[in-house]
């Protein structure tokens, strides 16, 4: 799983040079440059050139840079992949992953192109067949050579493919995406909130996604970055509680105990592990900023 925070992942069309030029001033944890759905079929080549021209010299960046390519077996997939390597992408976002073989094919292509071993693969989960095969796909997270380390929920495509009209009705599927991601040691990002003018609705969607176990949310507008960063980060109460638990187990009389009594509440070492994870996450956010 990525050590870098993934509270906010902003989609930006690879063809939008103006938007790409503004990325340095934004505080998202990751940017996903989209060469697939956001680019007209006739503009794919131009979009690749625009992305490379805009980002090739973008060094010492704080956000992770991910590039969503077209399917590898399409006419644009391989050229997209090469362009992503030209801009030194941290991750390749593969759309419409339905089987483990799609991940393995991309991993092989990266090896053939002598790509940096640190480059990871993010799998878009956006079809019924993908949901059916989630466990097998997630299992690749335990095989480092497969490079897989993140699931991205494609809720709009899932709605289109299934006929479901409300994201709320997709809760069982979304929880399955989270469950299998965690089983595979993967990060997991929630789908987009389409109405970027609806700030209240977006914040509510982030809160629901956090409660479901998502690590962050994919975004379509810069105005969504700050709320996502805030909601998916540990708050003051989370940090204070974590510090209290860590301090309790650090006491000499508790160091060998599996369970301690904290003001009438039973606290186990599993709570200590969660507290340490909370503090590590808070520290990673602090270091990023």
């Amino acid at each position: 799983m990525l050590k870098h925070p993934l509270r906010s992942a902003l989609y930006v069309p690879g063809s939008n040079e103006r938007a790409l030029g503004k990325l340095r001033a934004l505080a998202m944890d990751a940017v996903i440059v989209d060469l697939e759905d956001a680019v007209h079929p006739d503009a794919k080549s131009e979009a690749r050139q625009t992305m490379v021209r805009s980002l090739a010299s973008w060094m010492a960046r704080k956000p992770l840079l991910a590039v969503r390519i077209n399917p590898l077996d399409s006419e644009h997939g391989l050229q997209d992949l090469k362009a992503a390597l030209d801009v030194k992408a941290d991750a390749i976002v593969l759309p419409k992953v339905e089987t483990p073989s799609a991940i393995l094919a991309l991993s092989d292509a990266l090896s053939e192109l002598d790509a940096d071993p640190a480059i990871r693969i993010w799998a878009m989960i956006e079809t019924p067949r993908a949901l059916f095969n989630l466990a097998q796909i997630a299992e690749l997270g335990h095989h480092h050579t497969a490079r897989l380390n993140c699931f991205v929920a494609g809720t709009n495509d899932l709605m289109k493919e299934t006929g479901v009209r409300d994201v709320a009705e997709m809760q069982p599927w979304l929880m399955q995406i989270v469950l299998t991601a965690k089983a595979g040691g993967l990060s997991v990002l929630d789908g987009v909130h389409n109405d970027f003018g609806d700030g209240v609705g977006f914040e509510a969607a982030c809160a629901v996604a956090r409660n479901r176990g998502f690590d962050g949310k994919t975004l379509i507008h810069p105005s969504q970055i700050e709320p996502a960063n805030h909601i998916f980060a540990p708050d003051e109460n989370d940090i204070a509680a974590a510090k209290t638990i860590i301090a309790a187990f650090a006491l000499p009389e508790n160091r060998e105990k599996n369970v301690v009594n904290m003001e009438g509440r039973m606290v186990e070492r599993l709570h200590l592990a969660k507290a340490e994870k909370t503090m590590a996450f808070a520290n990673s956010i602090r270091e990023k900023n």
Side-chain angles (χ1 to χ4, degrees):
M1 189 178 295
L2 287 173
K3 295 181 180 179
H4 193 288
L6 281 179
R7 300 163 297 169
S8 53
L10 178 68
Y11 283 111
V12 179
S15 56
N16 191 332
E17 190 165 6
R18 182 168 173 268
L20 292 170
K22 292 183 175 181
L23 292 177
R24 290 179 179 84
L26 301 178
M28 63 272 162
D29 287 339
V31 57
I32 302 175
V33 180
D34 190 4
L35 298 177
E36 191 218 9
D37 281 351
V39 179
H40 189 277
D42 295 337
K44 300 288 189 183
S45 177
E46 182 180 350
R48 285 192 294 270
Q49 295 173 31
T50 298
M51 178 185 71
V52 171
R53 183 170 61 250
S54 300
L55 300 181
S57 62
W58 186 18
M59 306 301 289
R61 54 182 178 257
K62 288 185 178 179
L64 285 172
L65 175 60
V67 176
R68 180 160 75 168
I69 66 173
N70 286 275
L72 197 58
D73 58 0
S74 71
E75 63 176 305
H76 299 288
L78 184 58
Q79 294 306 312
D80 289 348
L81 182 58
K82 291 178 178 178
L85 298 182
D86 285 343
V87 296
K88 296 179 172 58
D90 299 295
I92 307 299
V93 182
L94 188 62
K96 297 177 178 61
V97 172
E98 295 186 319
T99 65
S101 61
I103 301 296
L104 295 173
L106 177 54
S107 178
D108 288 343
L110 286 166
S111 295
E112 291 172 5
L113 292 171
D114 197 26
D116 187 333
I119 295 177
R120 301 292 93 190
I121 296 173
W122 295 3
M124 294 288 303
I125 306 300
E126 47 191 341
T127 69
R129 192 179 180 200
L131 293 173
F132 187 77
N133 292 320
L134 274 175
Q136 296 95 311
I137 299 170
E139 186 64 23
L140 292 178
H142 296 298
H143 302 275
H144 185 74
T145 55
R147 297 177 182 260
L148 178 66
N149 78 337
C150 186
F151 275 172
V152 183
T155 46
N156 283 337
D157 277 278
L158 280 170
M159 292 176 72
K160 176 177 73 72
E161 295 292 331
T162 61
V164 171
R165 297 187 178 185
D166 190 328
V167 173
E169 300 300 326
M170 296 169 58
Q171 178 176 349
W173 302 341
L174 295 172
M175 292 303 298
Q176 191 68 13
I177 292 173
V178 171
L179 182 66
T180 51
K182 302 302 182 179
L186 310 174
S187 298
V188 58
L189 298 175
D190 192 23
V192 300
H193 185 76
N194 295 311
D195 186 357
F196 61 81
D198 176 22
V200 173
F202 175 73
E203 291 185 16
C206 286
V208 169
R210 183 186 178 188
N211 288 340
R212 287 174 175 165
F214 283 96
D215 296 304
K217 195 164 181 68
T218 47
L219 317 177
I220 59 172
H221 193 273
S223 64
Q224 298 175 327
I225 295 171
E226 193 280 329
N229 284 349
H230 174 71
I231 292 170
F232 283 98
D235 61 23
E236 292 181 2
N237 292 333
D238 294 329
I239 293 173
K243 288 181 176 179
T244 299
I245 292 172
I246 292 170
F249 275 97
L251 293 173
E253 63 268 28
N254 292 335
R255 288 176 184 169
E256 302 301 322
K257 292 182 179 179
N258 286 330
V259 181
V260 299
N261 183 339
M262 289 181 56
E263 299 179 353
R265 183 167 69 97
M266 183 184 74
V267 179
E268 302 177 69
R269 286 202 170 267
L270 65 89
H271 298 109
L272 173 61
K274 183 177 180 181
E276 290 172 340
K277 184 177 180 181
T278 295
M279 292 308 303
F281 186 33
N283 290 335
S284 70
I285 292 172
R286 191 176 302 111
E287 290 172 4
K288 172 184 176 291
N289 294 334

